Amino acid sequence: MKKILILFLFVGFSSTAISQSNTGISGERLIKLDAMLDEAIANQKVPGLVAMVLKDGELVYHEAKGYADVASKTIMEKDHIFRIASQTKAVTATAVMILWEEGKFRLDDPISKFIPEFKNSQFLTGFRYSDTTFSTRPADKEITIRHLLTHTSGLGYGVIDGDERMKMIYHKAGVTDLFTTENISIEESVKRLAKLPLHHDPGTKYTYSEGLDVLGYFVEIISGQPFDVFLKERIFDPLGMDDTRFYLNDTQGERLVTVHTYQDGKWQPYPITFYDPDYPRKGAKRFFSGGAGLSSTTADYAKFLQMYLNQGELNGNRILSSKTIETIMKNQVGDLWSGDKYYGLAFGVVTDQGVARGGLGSEGTFDWGGYFNTQYFADPEEQIIGLIFKQTSGAGNGDDTNWKFRQMVFTLIE
């Protein structure tokens, strides 16, 4: 417990040097990791970043580099806030499992038990590009809560879906992807989604989806609270995640990093497309996307990951049982994923084959990332956490810092 408390005393201070009580890390190799990130900034691979490494609950490395906004030359700081997009999914899954621990439902309950609109799900069998009409047949089983947690429900992801037909169907139906500044609730979007056809019968394939958005609304139904309030009271406040929110206040908004794209030989602000990059600090502020809506800092998200490494507890606040963590980390999709990782209830988890590949960590290391180039991993065997947060989209400039950072973090261990 004492080590975990030390971690958060150190956050916010320059920390390229290693804590004296941390004896398992190579200082020489840490300097090489820092130099690699400096080189990436100097070569304009990325406009700016914040990177963080923790070992045994203690801060080993926390540095900010480059610019948070290139146009104004705003220097990146360690407490800058990033849109973490799909890193929201693990938080939503955690909220679901908090309610599961209270006996509110079983993982294999049909979601229609709580959201009746999903009662008669249909599988897409035909599509006309000329007018976007389609034909369906009944799905062979109902979508369950487990299917939604594991992206095996058959639901799609609209604009970022790999199937052009689904993009057109979701757009026509007005389903919200990622997040929005528009005046819409997650209830409205989820009920529209429930009427649309599936990619496949539930449980037969892994298809990255809006399942966690459905579960955000599900949390509202089960808890009787708005989703953002539930997350704040049951996860963020107990863990001290004060800068992790769906929407930012004015002070936090000043620390929001600009989304950049690399065009015409320079980094510039990403334009408004199907989403507004200024989302977290303006708009109706009613849509709480369980799949993509949160913004956070490296220090905040490190607390969330440390809670998982601590088997569900941090600084005297228990979020989940250790047995629940064990269930979350088990292979939940069988051979629908195979190779370097399998998928649990909240994370991708490194397999023995992934260890053999190299650079991914120990077997059981869990990870994920976000649409705007944020990444994290946590290794329960070595008790090490790595986070590297950036904000880029669209055209890039050969950014290779994600794999280099992860590979080099594990070489720090002596």
Side-chain angles (χ1 to χ4, degrees):
M1 181 63 62
K2 185 177 180 181
K3 286 186 176 180
I4 297 163
L5 292 171
I6 290 172
L7 158 64
F8 299 114
L9 290 174
F10 278 126
V11 168
F13 294 90
S14 179
S15 53
T16 302
I18 304 164
S19 165
Q20 290 298 311
S21 61
N22 196 323
T23 58
I25 295 293
S26 165
E28 181 181 349
R29 292 185 176 191
L30 190 62
I31 291 170
K32 290 180 180 179
L33 183 149
D34 186 65
M36 179 275 292
L37 296 176
D38 281 337
E39 182 179 12
I41 296 294
N43 292 336
Q44 295 196 69
K45 294 288 186 74
V46 289
L49 60 86
V50 177
M52 191 177 199
V53 180
L54 298 87
K55 179 75 166 70
D56 298 323
E58 296 182 15
L59 188 63
V60 170
Y61 178 84
H62 195 198
E63 288 297 322
K65 298 180 183 297
Y67 294 113
D69 180 77
V70 171
S72 64
K73 297 196 180 304
T74 300
I75 300 297
M76 186 75 80
E77 303 290 348
K78 283 176 276 192
D79 67 346
H80 264 105
I81 296 173
F82 296 76
R83 301 156 194 79
I84 60 171
S86 285
Q87 290 186 205
T88 305
K89 291 178 170 66
V91 177
T92 300
T94 302
V96 170
M97 297 308 289
I98 288 171
L99 294 170
W100 176 80
E101 287 191 337
E102 296 174 358
K104 305 293 188 183
F105 56 88
R106 291 181 170 182
L107 290 176
D108 294 313
D109 281 345
I111 191 63
S112 65
K113 182 177 179 180
F114 309 95
I115 308 175
E117 286 79 3
F118 281 99
K119 180 63 178 175
N120 298 303
S121 295
Q122 301 286 308
F123 167 66
L124 182 67
T125 57
F127 181 80
R128 286 171 58 94
Y129 282 90
S130 60
D131 60 6
T132 68
T133 57
F134 53 86
S135 57
T136 62
R137 65 156 172 81
D140 68 1
K141 64 180 73 70
E142 289 209 53
I143 296 170
T144 67
I145 295 161
R146 192 188 305 270
H147 291 146
L148 294 167
L149 284 167
T150 59
H151 302 285
T152 58
S153 65
L155 294 174
Y157 225 137
V159 172
I160 63 172
D161 200 290
D163 188 324
E164 188 67 29
R165 301 172 302 170
M166 289 295 184
K167 291 182 182 181
M168 297 171 75
I169 291 170
Y170 276 48
H171 176 74
K172 185 177 181 179
V175 172
T176 302
D177 290 310
L178 298 181
F179 40 71
T180 185
T181 56
E182 300 301 317
N183 189 14
I184 184 174
S185 68
I186 51 175
E187 176 184 1
E188 293 171 75
S189 186
V190 166
K191 287 183 175 179
R192 293 174 187 174
L193 177 63
K195 300 175 183 177
L196 303 183
L198 305 178
H199 278 266
H200 48 76
D201 288 316
T204 60
K205 293 181 181 179
Y206 177 98
T207 301
Y208 204 51
S209 74
E210 292 200 46
L212 276 299
D213 287 271
V214 175
L215 290 173
Y217 175 46
F218 169 75
V219 168
E220 291 193 336
I221 293 171
I222 298 299
S223 69
Q225 292 182 294
F227 187 41
D228 63 330
V229 173
F230 183 89
L231 293 186
K232 183 176 185 298
E233 292 184 356
R234 301 297 296 273
I235 300 176
F236 301 151
D237 285 353
L239 295 181
M241 297 172 67
D242 297 332
D243 283 326
T244 305
R245 298 290 186 268
F246 286 108
Y247 297 97
L248 306 179
N249 60 36
D250 290 344
T251 302
Q252 291 170 323
E254 293 175 359
R255 291 186 280 131
L256 181 67
V257 180
T258 299
V259 179
H260 291 93
T261 188
Y262 193 78
Q263 292 182 337
D264 302 321
K266 62 181 180 180
W267 289 102
Q268 50 191 293
Y270 193 75
I272 295 175
T273 54
F274 70 95
Y275 62 85
D276 185 341
D278 216 22
Y279 144 84
R281 54 186 172 195
K282 74 176 190 181
K285 300 187 176 183
R286 288 185 61 219
F287 188 78
F288 310 124
S289 170
L294 289 172
S295 295
S296 188
T297 63
T298 52
D300 266 18
Y301 211 84
K303 296 173 186 179
F304 177 70
L305 297 175
Q306 189 67 53
M307 177 271 290
Y308 267 92
L309 287 188
N310 292 353
Q311 295 296 297
E313 179 268 346
L314 184 69
N315 291 342
N317 294 303
R318 180 157 293 282
I319 306 300
L320 293 171
S321 160
S322 62
K323 295 303 292 183
T324 301
I325 301 289
E326 184 179 354
T327 296
I328 289 170
M329 295 302 174
K330 292 294 185 182
N331 185 353
Q332 297 286 339
V333 299
D335 60 2
L336 298 183
W337 260 31
S338 60
D340 294 342
K341 301 176 193 174
Y342 62 74
Y343 198 81
L345 290 177
F347 308 98
V349 183
V350 173
T351 64
D352 181 64
Q353 183 174 325
V355 177
R357 175 186 168 190
L360 298 179
S362 307
E363 187 172 359
T365 296
F366 55 96
D367 62 28
W368 210 246
Y371 187 78
F372 298 105
N373 208 356
T374 57
Q375 305 286 331
Y376 68 84
F377 53 88
D379 185 330
E381 181 177 322
E382 296 293 345
Q383 288 290 303
I384 196 163
I385 292 170
L387 307 102
I388 181 166
F389 283 12
K390 296 161 281 187
Q391 291 284 264
T392 59
S393 187
N397 189 31
D399 178 19
D400 54 8
T401 53
N402 287 341
W403 73 261
K404 286 186 175 183
F405 176 74
R406 183 164 179 166
Q407 184 168 300
M408 294 178 76
V409 164
F410 287 109
T411 67
L412 300 177
I413 300 169
E414 295 183 323

